[in-house]
Amino acid sequence: MTSYFVTGGTGFIGRRLITRLLYDNRIVINNRLKRTRGGKVSFTHLIGYALVRALESYPNMNRHYAEVDGKPTLVTPEHVNLGLAIDLPGKDGQRTLVVASIKDCETMTFTQFWQAYEDLIRKARTGSLKTEDFQGTTISLTNPGTIGTNHSVPRLTAGQGAIIGVGAMEYPAQYQGTSEKALIEMGISKIMTLTSTYDHRIIQGAESGEFLRRVHQLLLGEDRFYDDVFSSLRIPYEPIRWVTDIPEGSVDKTARVIELIDAFRNRGHLMADTDPLNYRQRRHDDLDVLSHGLTLWDLEREFAVGGFAGQEKMKLRDVLGVLRDSYCRTVGIEYTHILDPSERRWIQDRVEIPHEKPDSAVQKYILSKLNAAEAFETFLQTKYVGQKRFSLEGGETVIPLLDTILDKAAEYELDEVVIGMPHRGRLNVLANIVGKPISQIFREFEGNLDPGQAHGSGDVKYHLGAEGKYFRMFGDGETKVSLTANPSHLETVDPVLEGIVRAKQDLLNKGEQGFTVLPVALH
């Protein structure tokens, strides 16, 4: 819906926007940011970026009126400098409105725009804005919606042809007495009023209305708007797409949700973000909600999930959150080929849980293990140039991963963990997991023989095994850890490992339930 009037040389026009897609994609973005780089994207960030993108189609909205040598002139700025109306608290409860601008917006990716926006707000909050921050504004964005206002008619200032206003996000008036659950079932979205106050001397009302429609189209995902946002933020999923609600068909939607869960269990690993060097948006038709007859309108609806993630009923949004946390993060897991249902269920119960960020102390400990792995490889590369060392470089995360396995083994009071692995990373595992003295490893690099044997072992250093003791960093508990010596034919390391573990368990002789030696095979 649009409204339009003119006062003097100023025109005003407004458009109501459906905000459901904007709301849903913002949730996906912020969930990803929370798990990775931190920060938060606001509605105004996305709307402001859509405004800048819309100016590509309607550049006249970025122009302004001026008098040059006493003659009316249409001025075309070289860049888009987006002014932000910032409300600052003053003394004695008074408030001050300042308008500072982000410069050269049309050259920015979304991430650059977001960072520039936050830098400007930070400068305003700390009182460090400079004169140049207020100069050169070509078009402004104001957000009276933060205080619940639907729209306002701001005053145009010199050097600007338009001010865009963002109203409050709320349900249409006729539905504001309806329960939240009923609104979700009916597919009623919150709406927002977007307004344009423009200089009627250079901009026509129809043109201003077309500009707002263009912003609306972008916020509904046209011209890959959200794809570009996700790509800029390196979010490895496709954005949620705008579609109309699909009514219940011959197949109940609950069955489709169960079908979607099963699809993630089978193929979720295909969307896992396992390549840190190559960014791409991962998708698979079988994992797309649209392929299962579900849409963004179903995200807030509750469905029976039959005990999935320990729940009987869940919102589709929460179901997808658990599925992505379980199968589509930086580790892929594939286990549905296992024939024993109890074994599959055991894995499901431990995989299909919401992600919890480790405590700060645990994160620092993991970082220390990564640093130790990196420092070891860096030293060997510098000190023993040209020597075979089968570096772990690029896979240092195997050290904190093994450390976690040993920690759990000690927590559950296992007698021993036996590791079988290839040459690559072996020296690092010996030093940082098994606890073999680093000085001894260096001596072997320098050709010194084992003093315990008259002629040395006769084997190369990256075949050797070792034994050590592991103590838990957090909590009580310890376990023995050993690394098997590599056979000359590396493909036989798995049966050798299994034979060693079986022999150790037989010697312990704790009965059928006493399997307290854990084999760990690395490939």
Side-chain angles (χ1 to χ4, degrees):
M1 187 187 80
T2 59
S3 57
Y4 167 77
F5 66 88
V6 178
T7 56
T10 302
F12 175 84
I13 196 166
R15 183 184 183 91
R16 288 184 180 175
L17 283 67
I18 296 174
T19 61
R20 185 57 187 268
L21 189 65
L22 176 67
Y23 175 82
D24 287 332
N25 275 316
R26 178 177 175 263
I27 288 177
V28 176
I29 291 169
N30 286 335
N31 284 344
R32 175 69 181 180
L33 293 176
K34 183 179 179 181
R35 294 195 299 260
T36 53
R37 63 192 292 175
K40 184 177 285 187
V41 168
S42 71
F43 294 114
T44 313
H45 290 138
L46 293 166
I47 295 167
Y49 189 63
L51 187 155
V52 173
R53 285 278 302 272
L55 288 172
E56 297 173 5
S57 302
Y58 297 91
N60 197 46
M61 297 293 295
N62 194 51
R63 296 171 180 145
H64 65 269
Y65 172 90
E67 291 190 5
V68 179
D69 298 329
K71 296 180 180 180
T73 304
L74 178 63
V75 179
T76 302
E78 187 176 353
H79 296 288
V80 175
N81 299 331
L82 179 64
L84 303 176
I86 307 170
D87 186 32
L88 299 176
K91 296 180 180 179
D92 303 324
Q94 296 180 347
R95 307 193 71 84
T96 305
L97 186 69
V98 299
V99 179
S101 60
I102 305 172
K103 305 299 191 291
D104 305 343
C105 295
E106 80 284 358
T107 64
M108 296 179 177
T109 64
F110 177 78
T111 301
Q112 293 169 335
F113 177 83
W114 173 43
Q115 292 170 344
Y117 187 112
E118 288 300 293
D119 288 342
L120 197 65
I121 296 296
R122 192 177 302 110
K123 290 168 69 176
R125 298 280 185 251
T126 57
S128 54
L129 288 172
K130 299 179 180 179
T131 303
E132 53 266 26
D133 293 318
F134 299 98
Q135 296 174 336
T137 302
T138 60
I139 187 170
S140 293
L141 179 67
T142 181
N143 191 357
T146 55
I147 57 174
T149 304
N150 282 330
H151 61 76
S152 63
V153 186
R155 185 177 63 184
L156 283 171
T157 58
Q160 298 180 55
I163 299 177
I164 308 303
V166 180
M169 290 177 57
E170 57 186 15
Y171 287 109
Q174 63 269 32
Y175 293 107
Q176 290 183 9
T178 309
S179 70
E180 188 81 14
K181 185 176 181 180
L183 290 169
I184 291 169
E185 289 300 323
M186 290 189 292
I188 304 299
S189 168
K190 288 185 177 181
I191 61 172
M192 172 183 68
T193 301
L194 201 63
T195 62
S196 171
T197 304
Y198 58 93
D199 191 336
H200 201 270
R201 293 171 294 183
I202 59 170
I203 299 172
Q204 295 183 356
E207 184 178 21
S208 187
E210 290 287 334
F211 173 75
L212 295 183
R213 184 175 69 172
R214 178 60 179 159
V215 175
H216 191 181
Q217 290 170 343
L218 290 172
L219 293 176
L220 290 180
E222 291 193 13
D223 292 332
R224 297 180 57 82
F225 175 75
Y226 291 110
D227 294 82
D228 292 343
V229 171
F230 276 46
S231 177
S232 178
L233 294 171
R234 297 182 68 84
I235 297 176
Y237 316 123
E238 280 198 336
I240 297 171
R241 305 296 184 187
W242 172 256
V243 291
T244 56
D245 193 9
I246 300 175
E248 287 279 5
S250 56
V251 178
D252 185 73
K253 284 190 177 181
T254 299
R256 298 186 182 278
V257 173
I258 300 300
E259 184 184 72
L260 179 66
I261 293 172
D262 188 61
F264 269 87
R265 288 170 174 169
N266 280 282
R267 299 180 179 84
H269 63 281
L270 298 177
M271 273 181 56
D273 185 18
T274 55
D275 186 353
L277 302 178
N278 178 34
Y279 166 76
R280 63 183 177 87
Q281 288 182 352
R282 291 161 170 79
R283 73 176 305 275
H284 193 286
D285 284 341
D286 290 348
L287 306 179
D288 190 342
V289 294
L290 296 177
S291 300
H292 297 271
L294 301 167
T295 69
L296 76 163
W297 301 100
D298 296 308
L299 293 174
E300 290 293 331
R301 292 170 179 160
E302 278 196 345
F303 299 94
V305 292
F308 171 75
Q311 303 292 324
E312 290 303 319
K313 282 192 171 185
M314 290 179 71
K315 292 181 179 180
L316 178 59
R317 183 189 307 283
D318 297 331
V319 170
L320 287 171
V322 173
L323 289 171
R324 282 183 169 172
D325 274 352
S326 304
Y327 300 106
C328 305
R329 296 193 67 200
T330 52
V331 175
I333 178 168
E334 185 179 7
Y335 63 93
T336 51
H337 61 279
I338 297 174
L339 299 180
D340 188 335
S342 62
E343 291 183 7
R344 291 200 306 270
R345 196 172 301 111
W346 188 91
I347 295 174
Q348 286 173 9
D349 291 343
R350 286 153 181 80
V351 169
E352 294 176 350
I353 55 176
H355 172 70
E356 293 184 6
K357 196 171 185 179
D359 294 336
S360 177
V362 176
Q363 292 184 57
K364 290 178 181 178
Y365 176 67
I366 293 171
L367 179 62
S368 72
K369 301 301 290 185
L370 284 171
N371 285 339
E374 172 67 22
F376 181 85
E377 297 296 343
T378 301
F379 181 84
L380 288 185
Q381 180 176 326
T382 305
K383 181 71 174 176
Y384 302 105
V385 180
Q387 291 203 39
K388 277 187 179 181
R389 55 191 176 90
F390 293 98
S391 172
L392 186 61
E393 209 165 13
E396 290 87 354
T397 50
V398 77
I399 298 301
L401 179 63
L402 282 174
D403 185 88
T404 303
I405 293 173
L406 291 171
D407 182 86
K408 282 296 179 183
E411 180 184 345
Y412 285 94
E413 300 180 346
L414 298 186
D415 287 304
E416 186 173 352
V417 176
V418 185
I419 302 172
M421 66 178 297
H423 300 333
R424 183 163 301 283
R426 188 177 191 81
L427 298 176
N428 211 314
V429 170
L430 284 168
N432 292 307
I433 294 297
V434 182
K436 182 175 181 177
I438 294 179
S439 57
Q440 184 178 341
I441 295 175
F442 293 161
R443 283 199 302 271
E444 291 168 356
F445 260 100
E446 292 167 359
N448 295 329
L449 300 178
D450 185 348
Q453 300 183 26
H455 302 290
S457 69
D459 208 348
V460 292
K461 52 187 166 290
Y462 39 81
H463 276 190
L464 300 176
E467 292 184 351
K469 184 78 77 172
Y470 176 85
F471 299 90
R472 295 186 70 200
M473 174 60 68
F474 302 99
D476 298 328
E478 63 180 63
T479 188
K480 186 178 177 182
V481 56
S482 59
L483 180 65
T484 63
N486 269 10
S488 294
H489 294 283
L490 189 57
E491 65 271 14
T492 64
V493 70
D494 283 349
V496 168
L497 170 67
E498 292 174 9
I500 290 172
V501 170
R502 175 60 186 268
K504 288 177 179 287
Q505 290 183 154
D506 287 347
L507 289 172
L508 288 170
N509 194 23
K510 291 189 174 182
E512 291 186 3
Q513 303 301 319
F515 299 112
T516 57
V517 181
L518 176 67
V520 177
L522 275 70
H523 295 275

